[in-house]
Amino acid sequence: MALLTLLDAHLAYGHVPLLDGTGFALEAGERVALIGRNGAGKSSLLKILAGLERPDDGTLQVQGGVRRVYVAQEPVFPEGATVFGAVAEGVAEAREMRARYEAHAEGEDLDALQTRLEALGGWTWEQRVDEALQRLALDPQADVAALSGGQKKRVALAQALAAAPDVLLLDEPTNHLDIDAIEWLQDLLNAWKGALVLISHDRAFIDAVATRIVELDRGQLRSYPGRFAAYEATKARELEDEALANARADKLLAQEEVWVRKGVEARRTRSVGRVARLQQLRAQRAARREQLGQVSLAVDAGLPTGKIVAELTDVTMRFGERTLIERFTATILRGDKVGLIGPNGVGKTTLLKLILGELEPTAGRVRRGTNLQVAYFDQLRAGLDLEATLVDTISPGSEWIETGAGRKHVMSYLTDFLFSPERANSPVRTLSGGERNRLLLARLFALPANVLVLDEPTNDLDIDTLELLEELLQDYAGTVFLVSHDRRFLDDVVTSTIAWEGDPAFGGRPGLWREYEGGYSDWKLQRARGRVAVALPTASAPAAPPAPAPAAPPKPRTKLSYKEQRELDELPARIEALEAEQAQIAETLAGSEIYVNEPQRVAALNARHAAIEDELMLALERWELLGNR
């Protein structure tokens, strides 16, 4: 028998049904990933399964004695609560039952209390709380209000684990967690013996945890056993079949509409049955809920930057006694797509600010490129005014937006991001988390930018939008800096990775950062090899040092000719002059005067800007060649 069974459920907000006569069953030990578009009703469905909300119509059947625990996307705790007190709320009923049993109140049925206590495990609730705190590495005396978002999510998970439920319901459990914490959570949930229903858009996380995928699409639940890759293949076939079926139905309806509008002779001879079928076709077409549209993403890459976006040489950054970055060297070129990986709080944002010039290093040198136009996606959505309307957020004071694809009306632009015209004048506070992220992307892409800084852009975005964002960033001509905990997103987008490796357990030191080619999977493989190399010397007895190999004779340096030496001496001044000329052209093109007074010069200046890039590359390569001889 199923632990939970939802029968013929209906739920609607406004005129759009979120649940339209749908059903769902959860068996013991199942791990179900609930996916779907933003606003499809996933969180509402999860709350119905948790017993926190009721559907407009339909029935939820719960097997007798089944305990359910729901962990919200943004957990809320009582003011002034300690971590221990918050986690102990997960065993509140067991605590109350034991207190009543120990009080021996007059008229209390001690046998019934004892039976309930044993069912809840109430005799050992302190041990369960302590075990949950240890498994999640939490300080029991810490103030919950002072914790980060990731730490608060850990407290909520500890509270759920201490309750030892039969069914665990998680809404976006990976939000605010770094990659190490997500992998730790994967292991925790895979060891979990109870049933699990989770909402997530993290495809790698779903693949690692779920045994079945359930999609909420246009009010209906569709079940797909197996991993996410199997779901993707099956879903693609279903959408193709649905499109063909709809096309055939529309063609038949069009033919019948032509027939019924024929002349008097046709109307005299038409059959009652054919007219009835036409009416049925009309009703089916009116009741059909089309597949939701796709977000239309495009970004204006602006004017090109210099070939080098940033060059860091032995950069160190300290705040008091704390070292966040220690002697880091890297070169970021135009068009690079760089992922930043590391636990929360190790300095990813600080490193970004150093690269972009918002901070100056304690030691070392940062050389930044010319003509940088930076657009920043804020993880905390601090740039959104919750009382402003969607229109004012995207284009304050104007009805038009200039994008890479040309001039566009703000209403049409909002429609590209799946915001209906009816909602254009609604305040931002009425949007869900995913919709606010989509609004931020709309505002970000309305700005011309040749450098995109995306700080956790994938939080709350549905899978379809994630895949479209991946395609956009892959085709984007500018430079991308990406901070994300979505491992598949990193693999699909970035070309290089800057990773924090300051863990002393694996030979790291404070502030150690390294750059790797490739995405998350490439970095993980190389990191694992490095950790094995660190562990090997301690796992075996030290071997006798090998005899030193004879030193190779140094490669003789070729003496430069007089002409080559003179060329080498003149190259630094030539490179500096080219960079100065390029900066002047970029400044001219960034202003508005030339487009008003001398528009005929714009094409020539753009061509010269591009030609200088080629001349600079040749000069730099020649300088390196001559300098190494």
Side-chain angles (χ1 to χ4, degrees):
M1 180 181 174
L3 301 178
L4 302 176
T5 306
L6 186 64
L7 300 172
D8 195 27
H10 292 262
L11 180 69
Y13 288 103
H15 64 285
V16 178
L18 300 179
L19 301 177
D20 194 5
T22 193
F24 173 76
L26 179 69
E27 302 291 339
E30 268 199 305
R31 306 174 192 282
V32 175
L34 181 59
I35 66 173
R37 283 289 185 85
N38 293 135
K42 301 184 300 297
S43 294
S44 297
L45 174 58
L46 199 67
K47 290 176 181 176
I48 289 172
L49 295 177
L52 301 176
E53 293 185 1
R54 295 176 61 87
D56 298 335
D57 196 10
T59 305
L60 176 65
Q61 297 175 353
V62 183
Q63 190 181 122
V66 167
R67 285 175 291 167
R68 297 164 286 172
V69 170
Y70 168 80
V71 179
Q73 188 175 152
E74 301 290 343
V76 178
F77 301 98
E79 188 175 348
T82 64
V83 169
F84 183 89
V87 174
E89 283 300 309
V91 292
E93 186 182 359
R95 292 166 58 192
E96 180 189 356
M97 290 293 173
R98 200 172 85 182
R100 286 168 56 185
Y101 185 88
E102 292 170 347
H104 292 89
E106 186 178 346
E108 194 79 71
D109 187 345
L110 295 183
D111 288 338
L113 278 176
Q114 183 173 357
T115 301
R116 184 59 179 161
L117 261 174
E118 290 171 354
L120 294 172
W123 301 112
T124 58
W125 70 261
E126 294 96 341
Q127 291 92 317
R128 282 159 50 198
V129 170
D130 288 337
E131 181 185 354
L133 290 170
Q134 290 172 11
R135 291 178 71 184
L136 280 85
L138 293 168
D139 177 7
Q141 303 306 319
D143 184 359
V144 175
L147 299 180
S148 66
Q151 289 293 317
K152 287 180 179 178
K153 185 61 71 75
R154 283 178 179 253
V155 173
L157 289 168
Q159 186 184 88
L161 292 174
D166 301 296
V167 178
L168 187 57
L169 304 149
L170 306 178
D171 193 350
E172 292 286 3
T174 62
N175 277 7
H176 307 302
L177 297 183
D178 55 49
I179 290 176
D180 287 342
I182 291 172
E183 292 180 338
W184 163 87
L185 180 59
Q186 284 176 188
D187 295 338
L188 182 72
L189 294 179
N190 284 329
W192 173 255
K193 301 302 182 185
L196 172 69
V197 182
L198 63 93
I199 296 173
S200 181
H201 302 132
D202 187 325
R203 294 155 292 180
F205 183 75
I206 292 172
D207 255 347
V209 173
T211 59
R212 178 162 67 109
I213 293 170
V214 173
E215 181 186 31
L216 180 55
D217 181 21
R218 289 163 283 175
Q220 297 296 317
L221 289 171
R222 296 178 174 86
S223 181
Y224 302 85
R227 292 182 171 273
F228 188 79
Y231 153 77
E232 286 182 304
T234 306
K235 182 65 178 178
R237 290 194 300 269
E238 287 182 354
L239 289 176
E240 289 176 6
D241 293 344
E242 181 182 341
L244 287 173
N246 287 342
R248 286 194 293 267
D250 290 343
K251 183 178 180 180
L252 179 59
L253 176 60
Q255 291 171 345
E256 294 301 290
E257 292 287 3
V258 169
W259 170 80
V260 83
R261 286 170 174 77
K262 282 183 179 179
V264 174
E265 188 63 29
R267 288 199 298 272
R268 287 175 184 166
T269 58
R270 65 191 178 195
S271 69
V272 174
R274 194 168 181 181
V275 172
R277 184 178 67 168
L278 173 60
Q279 292 173 341
Q280 183 181 9
L281 286 171
R282 286 173 174 171
Q284 289 173 351
R285 183 63 184 85
R288 185 195 305 167
R289 291 184 64 185
E290 299 287 358
Q291 181 191 4
L292 294 173
Q294 297 280 8
V295 177
S296 176
L297 300 180
V299 60
D300 184 356
L303 294 173
T305 64
K307 185 67 177 178
I308 294 177
V309 173
E311 185 179 53
L312 290 77
T313 306
D314 290 335
V315 167
T316 296
M317 192 69 189
R318 297 188 181 92
F319 290 97
E321 298 295 321
R322 190 180 180 202
T323 301
L324 291 182
I325 302 163
E326 178 71 26
R327 297 182 63 81
F328 177 64
T329 297
T331 300
I332 312 297
L333 301 178
R334 183 181 66 217
D336 282 353
K337 296 172 175 61
V338 183
L340 277 80
I341 295 176
N344 294 333
V346 297
K348 297 189 294 292
T349 302
T350 299
L351 180 55
L352 274 176
K353 289 181 177 180
L354 283 172
I355 292 171
L356 299 174
E358 296 179 26
L359 288 175
E360 292 301 324
T362 307
R365 182 172 66 90
V366 181
R367 176 184 168 218
R368 300 177 186 91
T370 58
N371 196 34
L372 298 185
Q373 296 172 291
V374 182
Y376 192 89
F377 184 95
D378 182 11
Q379 174 190 6
L380 301 178
R381 310 187 188 101
L384 287 179
D385 180 359
L386 298 183
E387 299 305 319
T389 65
L390 275 61
V391 167
D392 288 339
T393 299
I394 296 298
S395 183
S398 174
E399 294 184 355
W400 299 93
I401 292 174
E402 299 290 341
T403 69
R407 199 167 187 239
K408 205 161 197 176
H409 195 275
V410 65
M411 291 294 187
S412 175
Y413 185 73
L414 283 170
T415 302
D416 287 344
F417 287 82
L418 303 185
F419 294 110
S420 64
E422 294 80 12
R423 301 187 67 188
N425 291 309
S426 301
V428 173
R429 58 179 164 77
T430 63
L431 302 181
S432 67
E435 289 172 326
R436 291 184 191 182
N437 259 19
R438 218 187 307 138
L439 184 67
L440 262 183
L441 287 174
R443 190 174 72 172
L444 180 78
F445 295 157
L447 304 171
N450 49 36
V451 177
L452 290 180
V453 181
L454 305 176
D455 192 354
E456 296 291 3
T458 63
N459 280 353
D460 304 318
L461 290 183
D462 58 54
I463 291 170
D464 288 344
T465 307
L466 277 178
E467 291 174 345
L468 287 167
L469 182 57
E470 284 176 359
E471 293 175 13
L472 171 78
L473 296 177
Q474 288 163 1
D475 297 336
Y476 176 59
T479 306
V480 176
F481 294 97
L482 174 62
V483 178
S484 178
H485 64 251
D486 190 319
R487 293 155 291 175
R488 181 164 164 181
F489 191 78
L490 285 165
D491 274 340
D492 290 346
V493 171
V494 306
T495 57
S496 64
T497 299
I498 297 175
W500 177 84
E501 296 194 342
D503 190 342
F506 298 99
R509 64 176 188 275
L512 176 61
W513 293 81
R514 289 197 179 104
E515 186 177 15
Y516 296 87
E517 291 297 318
Y520 167 80
S521 297
D522 301 301
W523 163 73
K524 187 177 181 182
L525 179 62
Q526 295 174 74
R527 181 184 66 166
R529 289 173 178 168
R531 289 183 173 181
V532 169
V534 169
L536 279 177
T538 61
S540 59
K555 184 178 178 181
R557 292 176 61 91
T558 305
K559 183 175 176 63
L560 298 176
S561 67
Y562 172 79
K563 184 177 179 180
E564 288 173 332
Q565 183 62 53
R566 184 175 177 182
E567 182 185 3
L568 178 61
D569 293 339
E570 291 174 351
L571 275 171
R574 173 164 173 73
I575 291 170
E576 187 176 349
L578 285 171
E579 289 181 334
E581 182 184 359
Q582 188 183 50
Q584 180 60 45
I585 291 174
E587 184 178 349
T588 303
L589 291 172
S592 59
E593 292 83 359
I594 189 170
Y595 300 93
V596 176
N597 301 326
E598 300 177 279
Q600 69 279 1
R601 288 186 59 209
V602 173
L605 287 176
N606 275 319
R608 177 57 185 156
H609 191 282
I612 291 174
E613 283 297 319
D614 297 332
E615 292 179 30
L616 269 174
M617 286 304 299
L618 290 173
L620 289 167
E621 290 170 0
R622 185 66 176 162
W623 189 22
E624 182 178 5
L625 175 66
L626 295 176
N628 290 332
R629 283 180 55 183

